[in-house]
Amino acid sequence: MPSTHILTRDEAERRAALLSVDSYTVELDLTGHERGDTFGSRTAVVFSCTEPGAETFIEIAAERIEDAFLNGEPVDITGFDPKAGLRITGLAAENELIVNAICAYSTDGQGLHRMTDPVDKETYLYSQFEVADAQRVYACFDQPDLKASFTFQVRTPQHWTVISNMPAASETEIEAIRTKVTLFETSVRMSPYITAICAGPYYGVHEVHDGIDMGLYCRQSMKDYLDPEGVFEVTRQGFDHFHANFGVRYPLPKYDQVFAPEYNFGAMENFGCITIAEASFLFRSQVTDFELEQRANVILHEMAHMWFGDLVTMRWWDDLWLNESFAEWASHWANVEATRFDGAWTTFLSARKNWGYGADQQPTTHPVYTAAGDTEEIQANFDGITYSKGASILKQLVAYVGIDPFLAGLRAYFSKHQFKNAVFADLLGELEAASGKELKDFADTWLRTAGVSTLRPEVAVDADGNYTSVTVLQEVPAEHPTHRTHRIAIGLYDLDGDALVRRDRIEVDVTGAATGIPALAGVKQPDLLLLNDDDLTYAKLRLDERSLATAVAHTSALPDSLARALIWAAAWDMLRDAELTATQFVALGTGSLTAEDDINIVTVAQRQVAGALAYAAPEHRADLREQWAQAAKAAMDAAAPGSGPQRSWAKAYASASRSEADLARVAGWLEGADVPEGLAVDADLRWALLTVLVATGTLGEDAIDAELDRDSTADGKRLSFIARAVVPTAEAKQRAWERITDPSTENYVRRSSMLGFSTLDQADLVRPYLKPYLDAVPELWEKLGAQQAVEYSKYAFPSSLIDEETLAVLDAWLAEDRPAPIRRGVAEGRADTARALRGQALDAQ
């Protein structure tokens, strides 16, 4: 696979000043997909130049260029290097460049990805071009601020369906050679990274809503699981909500959503042709409301991008957050306002905001608005800061200016900059004009600084149990010492029988290192004092001693799910900061979580309790896991048959099972023995159960082969590689490692192998791979695409090695001079290891 050009910001600025692009006509020949690994690509791009006689370059990451012509004259292609692009000299005021190239299909999820369905052996293609991979498919000026109109023409096998940004203008079938040529309508002006081509025998259904032709596509072998009504319902609700609030209608005549196999991300906002991860959101087994809400959030997130990012696009990747933070905020806002998932802000806190808190405490943290020197550097910034911290700050901004002025500012922004590029200052100006408030200081404090504050209550109580003083301390990391102004609510909760009832709620502004709360002087101390009640600000929370004891025993007694989620977020942060022992955290799980009725909190917190075992003293781990397994079993048995909670607790119980009796029971479920009433032991649950049984040595690797015979689908293959990676033998680990580090390995095989490689109980088997992991980091940055290299450095990290020896090896590697993108995954893994080691020391006391 040819390397792509790594575009610098300086290069992009010079080229944007020099060129204005009018149009692209792209012709792709995909008929040879079965005969080889390449396809034909012809690009005709029309553009103007402000300095006739100048030279520039165009990106094209081709296997080879057949020929190229600028204004009818041959272009010298003898020195073509995909890493540098194709040099073009002697530009005229008006230009037409034609490039005929042979490009390569990919198996890494970037460019034009090709997969073969193991069920029917059919081939499916889809494109993924963000950040700068359109150049893998056609010649283009691959930067967001050189927008143009696009006309695609695609030659395919006769029985294929082709989907692009615009509707098909015509389809011409050539019966003699069983070929079809699909010509698409010319698009509105857009950036290259949001153009799209999906091709193959996709199954599709359509519905028209508000004049928009909505399409939904998947592989033929997955059509029984498509759920058109569920997806279309949220899509209809999203369009109605955004149209009512954004002022500018969605500008295209159609809106397609394609479930893409072997996908790297959750989804991608290609204008009018959304691609969504099939493995994550096309459900072939029973699901809970957590999964359905996550799917709705993804649908709304990508739809919001039609305005944030597609209609109005960032000028350069510095403003990536303008795309992602806004889409993240808008999707949860729309979920609450327009769908049945009206508790989405609780889910945001549990599942997304915690992601931001975690990323913001890494040594690699960065501001929400962060300078990006080149397209490789930005790859690593698709993280919890860009998405969920930015969305949290926008949620605060909405509360500060009011939703109506905020939306008025958005409407003005969309109207003024539609089909153009903009920077944050453009948006800020419209929000200031609409709200009448000066927002620059807010933006500078929250968006241009890194790190997260910790809010800690300091209380004094008299002999009668009344507060003599309450102070909120704001602690900030030494590396990022910014004291921000936080508008927070403080909730006072008392135990009343089986309920924790909020007695009072006050709002205060917390500023500086310490803020006294005089309104609480003389007030009877509650059982629970909850800072940031209603989740108004972005900050880590702490609980005083009395409140912590109440929370561990009675969190489920809080009537508001958001308050319960705040307790879980605070407890998780305290665990990771070695202020709460793993023993206490597991006790919170075995007590309050088993009585929790919000499936979103349950799902996220179950993962956290399982993760807490890494923070447990090794001598405590087996006992804590057994406590968790039995609590999960009891919760499963108590849940309604066939319900989401039953399924969720069944998976948690199976995952924690280690006793001979529990493992035998789990193994029996695979054979249909003693299955809890209503529990669907379907394909996905079978793989989850099997993976636990293989990891514990209860079943051998031959059981994986048998299950793959039973489920010989693409999903079955993907899940089988996770199971093979957890087989507790040195030989199985070596085979998994070879799959992980072979540059030719398909993206889903590598990812699945990494997910199963470094399980907590297999440290001895993983230890020999610490040095090979580190050696491979720079090698794979050279051999893989940037996105796959980022995945390797993070997911292949040997996280089960939690000891001082490992830290020393990591420190020695990090002490060497290496580029920041290469260091990043290792530095973050090292920080997580150090946190776990401190947690183990605390738990051992």
Side-chain angles (χ1 to χ4, degrees):
M1 175 70 66
S3 298
T4 56
H5 175 63
I6 298 172
L7 183 70
T8 69
R9 178 173 43 205
D10 291 342
E11 287 177 323
E13 289 175 349
R14 287 197 298 270
R15 194 163 61 176
L18 183 68
L19 306 181
S20 178
V21 186
D22 178 72
S23 66
Y24 291 87
T25 301
V26 179
E27 300 176 26
L28 303 176
D29 185 352
L30 309 179
T31 56
H33 67 283
E34 293 177 339
R35 300 190 299 273
D37 296 329
T38 60
F39 59 92
S41 170
R42 182 184 190 274
T43 307
V45 53
V46 177
F47 62 98
S48 59
C49 175
T50 59
E51 300 175 18
E55 67 174 64
T56 189
F57 64 94
I58 190 168
E59 288 94 334
I60 174 68
E63 289 284 310
R64 66 180 184 276
I65 295 179
E66 304 279 73
D67 52 43
F69 300 90
L70 177 65
N71 301 324
E73 297 297 322
V75 174
D76 181 8
I77 61 174
T78 55
F80 167 66
D81 179 358
K83 289 185 177 181
L86 176 64
R87 303 300 304 184
I88 43 179
T89 61
L91 297 176
E94 302 295 331
N95 303 273
E96 181 181 45
L97 174 68
I98 297 174
V99 179
N100 291 300
I102 302 298
C103 297
Y105 294 111
S106 81
T107 58
D108 66 0
Q110 301 297 115
L112 190 59
H113 182 89
R114 179 178 64 175
M115 73 88 66
T116 300
D117 190 329
V119 174
D120 56 18
K121 311 306 179 187
E122 289 280 8
T123 297
Y124 291 87
L125 312 174
Y126 62 85
S127 61
Q128 171 62 36
F129 292 156
E130 193 175 39
V131 170
D133 282 313
Q135 62 191 277
R136 291 201 192 190
V137 175
Y138 59 89
C140 59
F141 302 109
D142 209 351
Q143 61 189 74
D145 59 343
L146 287 179
K147 288 188 170 185
S149 64
F150 290 82
T151 304
F152 285 98
Q153 179 175 293
V154 186
R155 184 182 294 265
T156 65
Q158 192 173 16
H159 69 294
W160 279 20
T161 296
V162 189
I163 311 134
S164 186
N165 306 92
M166 299 296 290
S170 66
E171 290 184 349
T172 304
E173 296 191 3
I174 307 172
E175 193 69 41
I177 54 175
R178 301 181 61 79
T179 296
K180 178 170 65 177
V181 178
T182 304
L183 174 66
F184 290 92
E185 294 178 12
T186 299
S187 76
V188 298
R189 292 183 65 80
M190 64 178 73
S191 304
Y193 81 92
I194 52 174
T195 60
I197 290 291
C198 299
Y202 282 100
Y203 170 79
V205 295
H206 289 263
E207 178 179 304
V208 176
H209 177 71
D210 196 14
I212 302 167
D213 181 0
M214 303 187 305
L216 191 60
Y217 296 89
C218 70
R219 290 183 292 129
Q220 290 286 341
S221 63
M222 296 293 286
K223 64 184 179 182
D224 291 343
Y225 312 115
L226 189 55
D227 187 21
E229 181 48 41
V231 175
F232 279 149
E233 179 183 28
V234 174
T235 306
R236 291 190 299 266
Q237 292 166 333
F239 271 127
D240 290 347
H241 183 71
F242 292 143
H243 280 159
N245 288 284
F246 285 170
V248 175
R249 272 185 61 85
Y250 170 70
L252 303 188
K254 64 94 175 176
Y255 187 80
D256 291 327
Q257 297 174 88
V258 182
F259 286 97
E262 302 177 0
Y263 203 62
N264 287 337
F265 308 98
M268 176 63 199
E269 67 269 19
N270 310 307
F271 217 167
C273 183
I274 311 305
T275 42
I276 303 175
E278 175 193 281
S280 298
F281 301 109
L282 187 58
F283 308 123
R284 62 181 191 145
S285 298
Q286 179 191 354
V287 293
T288 68
D289 257 11
F290 175 80
E291 284 89 2
L292 292 174
E293 183 176 319
Q294 293 302 300
R295 184 181 70 181
N297 185 69
V298 166
I299 291 169
L300 295 169
H301 179 107
E302 303 312 322
M303 185 181 291
H305 271 308
M306 300 302 103
W307 288 265
F308 295 112
D310 292 6
L311 182 70
V312 183
T313 311
M314 65 210 162
R315 185 175 299 167
W316 177 247
W317 298 101
D318 292 354
D319 277 316
L320 173 66
W321 81 278
L322 274 178
N323 283 11
E324 300 302 347
S325 298
F326 270 86
E328 182 85 348
W329 167 80
S331 62
H332 289 86
W333 168 62
N335 240 348
V336 169
E337 298 291 331
T339 79
R340 71 180 179 88
F341 301 109
D342 55 6
W345 286 124
T346 295
T347 314
F348 174 75
L349 169 59
S350 297
R352 305 294 286 181
K353 203 170 182 180
N354 271 328
W355 179 32
Y357 288 146
D360 215 5
Q361 295 173 78
Q362 289 285 4
T364 55
T365 185
H366 58 84
V368 173
Y369 176 93
T370 185
D374 58 48
T375 51
E376 183 177 65
E377 184 179 330
I378 199 62
Q379 292 279 359
N381 283 349
F382 286 82
D383 59 13
I385 296 171
T386 298
Y387 283 75
S388 57
K389 180 181 180 180
S392 300
I393 293 167
L394 287 175
K395 188 168 179 274
Q396 292 173 224
L397 181 59
V398 171
Y400 177 59
V401 305
I403 186 64
D404 291 335
F406 184 80
L407 292 174
L410 292 187
R411 288 191 286 269
Y413 174 73
F414 293 141
S415 178
K416 184 177 295 185
H417 299 286
Q418 57 184 315
F419 304 117
K420 299 175 185 176
N421 296 84
V423 297
F424 177 49
D426 297 319
L427 175 62
L428 197 66
E430 300 300 338
L431 294 176
E432 288 181 331
S435 67
K437 295 184 177 181
E438 202 280 326
L439 300 175
K440 184 178 182 301
D441 288 346
F442 177 93
D444 287 346
T445 299
W446 283 101
L447 298 173
R448 297 180 184 274
T449 61
V452 56
S453 302
T454 300
L455 303 183
R456 184 188 303 273
E458 185 177 67
V459 305
V461 183
D462 64 21
D464 296 324
N466 299 320
Y467 285 133
T468 57
S469 67
V470 175
T471 302
V472 179
L473 306 179
Q474 181 178 183
E475 301 165 357
V476 295
E479 303 84 359
H480 305 284
T482 301
H483 286 93
R484 303 175 180 88
T485 297
H486 299 266
R487 183 71 174 179
I488 67 169
I490 301 177
L492 283 69
Y493 292 83
D494 298 320
L495 277 168
D496 183 5
D498 293 332
L500 261 176
V501 179
R502 186 160 70 182
R503 180 210 315 166
D504 198 6
R505 176 189 183 276
I506 63 171
E507 284 197 19
V508 298
D509 288 324
V510 172
T511 60
T515 301
I517 313 298
L520 291 179
V523 172
K524 180 176 175 58
Q525 183 183 24
D527 292 303
L528 171 67
L529 183 72
L530 184 59
L531 303 185
N532 198 30
D533 206 0
D534 298 325
D535 195 31
L536 301 184
T537 195
Y538 175 86
K540 294 164 54 180
L541 307 181
R542 291 295 183 263
L543 302 171
D544 62 84
E545 186 175 353
R546 177 184 176 93
S547 297
L548 179 60
T550 300
V552 169
H554 302 289
T555 289
S556 61
L558 286 162
D560 183 6
S561 66
L562 191 57
R564 302 196 299 272
L566 281 165
I567 296 292
W568 276 102
W572 179 244
D573 272 321
M574 293 175 73
L575 172 76
R576 296 182 70 249
D577 289 344
E579 293 188 38
L580 184 72
T581 67
T583 298
Q584 289 173 298
F585 195 88
V586 172
L588 181 61
T590 59
S592 286
L593 189 61
T594 54
E596 175 62 57
D597 61 7
D598 187 306
I599 190 62
N600 301 294
I601 294 176
V602 167
T603 304
V604 175
Q606 282 173 344
R607 297 170 184 171
Q608 291 174 335
V609 174
L613 296 176
Y615 296 79
E619 62 271 21
H620 296 167
R621 190 174 297 150
D623 184 53
L624 291 176
R625 183 185 278 116
E626 177 64 13
Q627 293 176 32
W628 175 235
Q630 297 314 309
K633 176 179 176 293
M636 174 192 71
D637 291 339
S643 66
Q646 181 197 45
R647 184 177 181 85
S648 184
W649 283 113
K651 293 175 75 172
Y653 163 60
S655 179
S657 291
R658 291 297 183 274
S659 73
E660 185 176 337
D662 286 331
L663 290 170
R665 183 181 188 191
V666 171
W669 292 354
L670 288 176
E671 305 301 325
D674 298 322
V675 178
E677 179 188 354
L679 182 65
V681 186
D682 45 31
D684 289 348
L685 183 56
R686 287 186 64 84
W687 280 111
L689 303 178
L690 180 70
T691 301
V692 171
L693 296 168
V694 168
T696 55
T698 307
L699 295 178
E701 195 163 2
D702 58 334
I704 302 173
D705 298 329
E707 192 64 27
L708 193 55
D709 287 339
R710 178 190 182 108
D711 181 22
S712 57
T713 63
D715 259 1
K717 287 180 64 177
R718 175 179 63 86
L719 296 167
S720 75
F721 284 110
I722 299 177
R724 294 189 194 283
V726 303
V727 174
T729 67
E731 296 77 15
K733 289 297 181 189
Q734 179 60 32
R735 291 193 295 272
W737 187 250
E738 290 169 359
R739 292 192 296 271
I740 290 169
T741 54
D742 183 347
S744 67
T745 297
E746 297 96 327
N747 61 335
Y748 80 96
V749 175
R750 178 180 295 108
R751 185 180 303 118
S752 297
S753 300
M754 292 188 294
L755 290 175
F757 190 79
S758 189
T759 57
L760 186 60
D761 292 340
Q762 296 179 352
D764 289 343
L765 290 169
V766 173
R767 192 169 303 281
Y769 296 94
L770 174 59
K771 187 175 185 303
Y773 160 78
L774 293 171
D775 290 342
V777 170
E779 292 178 11
L780 292 180
W781 267 94
E782 289 294 321
K783 296 176 181 178
L784 300 176
Q787 195 277 330
Q788 286 291 297
V790 168
E791 272 204 359
Y792 168 79
S793 63
K794 291 185 176 183
Y795 295 158
F797 184 88
S799 57
S800 58
L801 304 182
I802 306 171
D803 51 49
E804 295 289 351
E805 180 184 349
T806 298
L807 291 182
V809 173
L810 296 172
D811 287 340
W813 189 91
L814 289 166
E816 299 178 19
D817 185 26
R818 303 179 191 278
I822 294 177
R823 292 170 47 88
R824 179 167 178 161
V826 178
E828 291 177 351
R830 192 266 179 213
D832 288 340
T833 302
R835 281 180 178 274
L837 198 57
R838 290 193 295 271
Q840 289 183 3
L842 179 71
D843 195 60
Q845 295 175 12

